[in-house]
Amino acid sequence: MAPDKQESRVRVDLTAVVISVDDRAPHVLTVEQEPRPALPYGPLRSDHRTLQAGLRSWVEKQTGYRLGYVEQLYTFGDRTTTGAEAAEHFAHRRVSIAYLALVPVPGERAPIQGSWRPWYDLLPWEDRRDGDPPALASVLERLSDWIGTGRNRDPARAERVRLAFATEGAAWDEERALERYELLYEAGLVSEAAVDAGEEPTAGLAPVPGVAMTSDHRRIVATAVSRLRAKIKYRPVLFELMPPAFTLSELQRTAEALSGVPLHKQNFRRLVASQGLVEETGGVAVRTGGRPAKLVRFRKDVMLERPAPGVRLTASRRASYP
Amino acid sequence: MAPDKQESRVRVDLTAVVISVDDRAPHVLTVEQEPRPALPYGPLRSDHRTLQAGLRSWVEKQTGYRLGYVEQLYTFGDRTTTGAEAAEHFAHRRVSIAYLALVPVPGERAPIQGSWRPWYDLLPWEDRRDGDPPALASVLERLSDWIGTGRNRDPARAERVRLAFATEGAAWDEERALERYELLYEAGLVSEAAVDAGEEPTAGLAPVPGVAMTSDHRRIVATAVSRLRAKIKYRPVLFELMPPAFTLSELQRTAEALSGVPLHKQNFRRLVASQGLVEETGGVAVRTGGRPAKLVRFRKDVMLERPAPGVRLTASRRASYP
DNA sequence: CGCTATTATACTCTAATTGAGCATAAGGAC
DNA sequence: GTCCTTATGCTCAATTAGAGTATAATAGCG
């Protein structure tokens, strides 16, 4: 039984998924923590004026980064421990409030502590910009074991896999990143699942490719990926990741890096233009390897004009960078 | 200074916005609490297996309702108290995790405790199904005072009002319900603002029409309204509010009740049909006042077929019920 | 210098989708 | 039956989305 009365106070953690995009690769800010990398986090303190202020303060303290755009992601608080451990953990359950933060491409400025980790190292099956990644084939193979064959085949599992991973003609929905991670977790194919079940990480099935993280942090990253992929379509958050001036191709590469799918170049430009999302700075970018591109900047006024400005991307059938 | 060390444990509340729709009017489940109505809520307890389970348990205990669909809304945790009160409240700040829950039309079954309150009593300016409601005119009048005139006119305020409330030709975006409430709060035009500032509810400006709630509960309701209005467009949550069999008109009235805008009848049907959201039960509804309508039921299979099934409503220029 | 590779940018064309409205059907009330 | 009301089927134009072609402007290289 819990030591104090059941209506106990709990420790509340603030956890940050800080994202930046460096040309082709989106990165997540991680702090190294044995044995596995973690997201920056820290407990809510009574001197934090707001939850967001608390988060900013922790990230700044732990990594040296001052955050720009921040939005709340989700609050996690389920007891994941089971069996014998449960009683012990009863009294000090944790609630963690996760935030998504975006920072412009950091360039040379490295974080004081921690490091930028490519998010497709964590979730390698999510990158379909150049067609199906090798990790996806591996994941699907493992999942087909989970589905079973013959008399042991579970049709409900098969259907879930079909939808989440777009097998058998279903369309790939890049926003289902969280669903895919959770499916793999449930199938016991990520090593966090074994750890949460109280086993050694090496016990059970060998995990699919992808770097595991502390606690439920990889799940939180997957939540951030899903949210961000959805959000760039109807809010101009993409620009939070860009430098003050950039080319349309750079913008497109950023959108593709996040969404993990190739986009149709001409239509992307038409969309950005028709929404009035950018204006020319007058400058041009050299060193493009071809015709110089005009530099543009974000038009902050769109926020005042359009109800839902964003980059309503639809994947092109073929890769844009063949 | 806080009595214990700053890294204190906090009380976590679970708060529920329970919605049902009765033909024309959406309702929120409230518990009466002096002096103002409140949402059902209670502290997270150590015997709650998950956050959601804790929420369900509180709502059931307080109102007798067993919830169906539940999703997390937002976590609030900012200290709103200022000045002298702050020091006192320092140690026991609260974090409240708000959930949105949907229950089918309750019919005669009244809640054991609490009552269903029409949400447009709380946010009367949000109902534009029959054109501009009287409350909206009143709100706009008060806001124009806030903007100021002549040399005192604040163009930034004017622009925010224009966008949020769709004055001067801007398009009404029903999803901006939260933004509208927050604008009114900031302008001091809802009585919660005066209370939070430590004044008597009657002090300051007279509030705009609309029933005030305890603490920040009306803000939470506005959050729920915004979320729900957005969500019905890409997820079939509408059906969580419907009885097992219903007519397309009933479905449309529910969508209109939530979104607060009239919809084009024929296009609504085309949309629902083309998405394969429903199938005929074979029965017909009598007592429609005209030609009997076919009864339909939700096709659960759509979840398995479409990436984002929902009712992508666009308001018709004219009311559908003239 | 002219050719080629490479990227940027401007247009075109077609197929869907959307917004709006007209027309017809099938009940009840009288 | 007529009239009123709601349900349902269908058309049409305007807009948007998906895909592709054509042309422009650079660098590198013989």
Side-chain angles (χ1 to χ4, degrees):
Chain A
M1 218 40 249
D4 49 352
K5 64 186 201 296
Q6 290 190 318
E7 186 182 308
S8 59
R9 303 199 166 187
V10 296
R11 165 167 162 162
V12 173
D13 277 332
L14 303 168
T15 308
V17 185
V18 185
I19 306 284
S20 75
V21 180
D22 176 13
D23 195 39
R24 287 270 298 165
H27 295 268
V28 181
L29 190 53
T30 58
V31 293
E32 299 313 318
Q33 178 178 299
E34 287 311 313
R36 293 184 292 176
L39 296 171
Y41 74 96
L44 173 65
R45 292 166 41 135
S46 52
D47 60 332
H48 293 147
R49 198 166 305 269
T50 66
L51 297 177
Q52 220 185 80
L55 179 93
R56 286 173 191 273
S57 135
W58 279 119
V59 171
E60 206 166 321
K61 195 167 294 178
Q62 288 181 18
T63 70
Y65 266 101
R66 179 155 291 181
L67 299 179
Y69 178 89
V70 171
E71 77 169 60
Q72 201 184 96
L73 256 188
Y74 201 78
T75 299
F76 301 85
D78 302 348
R79 299 198 318 248
T80 49
T81 48
T82 50
E85 284 186 291
E88 190 193 341
H89 285 250
F90 225 59
H92 36 92
R93 104 184 289 144
R94 287 191 191 181
V95 165
S96 78
I97 310 175
Y99 283 80
L100 167 66
L102 306 178
V103 299
V105 48
E108 305 76 37
R109 259 184 62 217
I112 291 176
Q113 277 178 50
S115 56
W116 289 109
R117 190 177 284 269
W119 86 18
Y120 293 122
D121 287 1
L122 304 169
L123 308 166
W125 55 86
E126 291 293 338
D127 185 3
R128 290 175 45 101
R129 282 174 292 177
D130 303 311
D132 292 354
L136 184 59
S138 161
V139 163
L140 291 175
E141 197 183 316
R142 307 301 308 285
L143 282 171
S144 77
D145 294 345
W146 180 66
I147 291 169
T149 50
R151 177 176 317 272
N152 287 322
R153 181 185 159 86
D154 183 333
R157 287 181 175 183
E159 186 60 19
R160 289 175 60 199
V161 169
R162 191 182 73 85
L163 274 163
F165 286 92
T167 57
E168 299 162 40
W172 177 266
D173 183 353
E174 74 278 356
E175 292 182 29
R176 296 197 180 212
L178 177 59
E179 194 178 324
R180 286 186 280 271
Y181 177 80
E182 291 187 332
L183 196 59
L184 291 174
Y185 182 96
E186 200 179 321
L189 297 176
V190 293
S191 53
E192 289 94 330
V195 172
D196 289 348
E199 303 164 14
E200 286 298 304
T202 50
L205 302 168
V208 295
V211 174
M213 296 184 75
T214 296
S215 178
D216 58 350
H217 288 190
R218 191 150 57 138
R219 182 190 304 265
I220 299 178
V221 171
T223 307
V225 170
S226 278
R227 176 75 68 87
L228 192 49
R229 285 180 172 180
K231 194 135 195 176
I232 56 175
K233 292 175 188 164
Y234 59 94
R235 283 291 131 98
V237 286
L238 204 47
F239 302 98
E240 305 286 345
L241 296 161
M242 305 302 294
F246 49 89
T247 70
L248 288 178
S249 291
E250 287 165 356
L251 185 66
Q252 181 178 350
R253 274 196 294 275
T254 302
E256 290 174 323
L258 296 177
S259 59
V261 294
L263 304 175
H264 186 274
K265 188 168 190 164
Q266 296 88 329
N267 291 350
F268 180 85
R269 318 180 125 253
R270 174 174 63 188
L271 182 73
V272 172
S274 73
Q275 297 240 75
L277 288 167
V278 300
E279 61 193 359
E280 299 182 3
T281 65
V284 290
V286 287
R287 317 240 115 262
T288 59
R291 173 174 173 175
K294 289 178 187 160
L295 285 172
V296 298
R297 71 170 78 91
F298 176 51
R299 269 191 68 236
K300 297 200 177 59
D301 296 356
V302 282
M303 307 289 283
L304 306 177
E305 296 163 4
R306 307 214 133 229
V311 180
R312 286 195 297 282
L313 36 90
T314 28
S316 68
R317 207 58 53 77
R318 309 198 318 207
S320 58
Y321 303 100
Chain B
M1 220 42 252
D4 50 351
K5 63 187 201 295
Q6 291 190 318
E7 186 183 310
S8 59
R9 303 201 165 185
V10 297
R11 165 169 163 160
V12 173
D13 277 332
L14 302 168
T15 308
V17 184
V18 186
I19 305 285
S20 75
V21 179
D22 176 13
D23 195 39
R24 287 271 297 165
H27 296 268
V28 181
L29 190 55
T30 58
V31 294
E32 300 312 317
Q33 177 178 300
E34 288 310 314
R36 292 185 293 176
L39 296 171
Y41 73 95
L44 172 65
R45 292 166 41 137
S46 52
D47 60 331
H48 292 147
R49 198 165 304 268
T50 65
L51 298 178
Q52 222 186 77
L55 180 93
R56 287 174 191 273
S57 133
W58 278 120
V59 171
E60 206 166 320
K61 196 167 294 179
Q62 287 181 19
T63 70
Y65 266 102
R66 180 154 291 182
L67 299 180
Y69 178 90
V70 171
E71 75 169 60
Q72 200 184 95
L73 256 188
Y74 201 79
T75 299
F76 301 86
D78 301 348
R79 299 198 316 250
T80 50
T81 47
T82 50
E85 284 185 291
E88 190 194 340
H89 285 249
F90 224 58
H92 35 92
R93 105 184 290 143
R94 286 193 192 178
V95 164
S96 78
I97 310 175
Y99 283 81
L100 167 66
L102 306 178
V103 298
V105 48
E108 305 77 36
R109 260 184 61 217
I112 292 175
Q113 276 177 52
S115 56
W116 290 109
R117 191 177 282 270
W119 85 17
Y120 292 121
D121 286 3
L122 304 169
L123 309 167
W125 54 86
E126 291 293 339
D127 186 3
R128 289 174 46 102
R129 282 175 291 177
D130 303 311
D132 292 354
L136 183 59
S138 162
V139 163
L140 292 176
E141 197 182 314
R142 307 300 309 286
L143 281 171
S144 77
D145 293 347
W146 180 66
I147 291 170
T149 50
R151 177 175 318 272
N152 288 322
R153 180 184 160 86
D154 184 333
R157 288 182 174 181
E159 187 59 20
R160 288 176 61 199
V161 168
R162 190 182 75 84
L163 274 163
F165 286 92
T167 57
E168 301 163 39
W172 177 265
D173 182 352
E174 74 279 356
E175 292 181 29
R176 296 196 181 215
L178 177 59
E179 193 178 325
R180 286 186 281 271
Y181 177 81
E182 291 187 332
L183 196 59
L184 291 174
Y185 182 96
E186 201 179 321
L189 296 176
V190 293
S191 53
E192 289 94 331
V195 172
D196 289 346
E199 303 165 14
E200 285 298 302
T202 49
L205 301 168
V208 296
V211 174
M213 296 184 75
T214 296
S215 176
D216 58 349
H217 287 190
R218 191 149 57 139
R219 181 188 305 263
I220 298 177
V221 171
T223 307
V225 170
S226 277
R227 176 75 67 88
L228 192 49
R229 285 180 171 179
K231 193 133 195 177
I232 56 176
K233 292 176 189 164
Y234 60 94
R235 283 290 131 100
V237 287
L238 204 47
F239 302 98
E240 305 287 344
L241 297 161
M242 306 301 295
F246 50 89
T247 69
L248 289 178
S249 290
E250 286 165 356
L251 184 66
Q252 182 179 350
R253 274 196 294 276
T254 301
E256 291 174 323
L258 295 177
S259 59
V261 294
L263 304 175
H264 185 275
K265 188 168 189 163
Q266 295 90 327
N267 291 350
F268 180 85
R269 315 179 127 253
R270 176 175 61 186
L271 182 72
V272 172
S274 73
Q275 297 240 76
L277 288 167
V278 299
E279 62 194 356
E280 299 183 5
T281 65
V284 289
V286 287
R287 318 239 117 263
T288 59
R291 173 174 173 176
K294 289 177 187 160
L295 285 172
V296 298
R297 71 170 78 91
F298 176 51
R299 270 191 68 236
K300 296 199 178 60
D301 296 354
V302 282
M303 307 288 285
L304 306 177
E305 296 163 2
R306 307 214 133 229
V311 180
R312 284 195 297 283
L313 35 91
T314 26
S316 68
R317 208 58 52 78
R318 309 195 321 205
S320 58
Y321 303 101

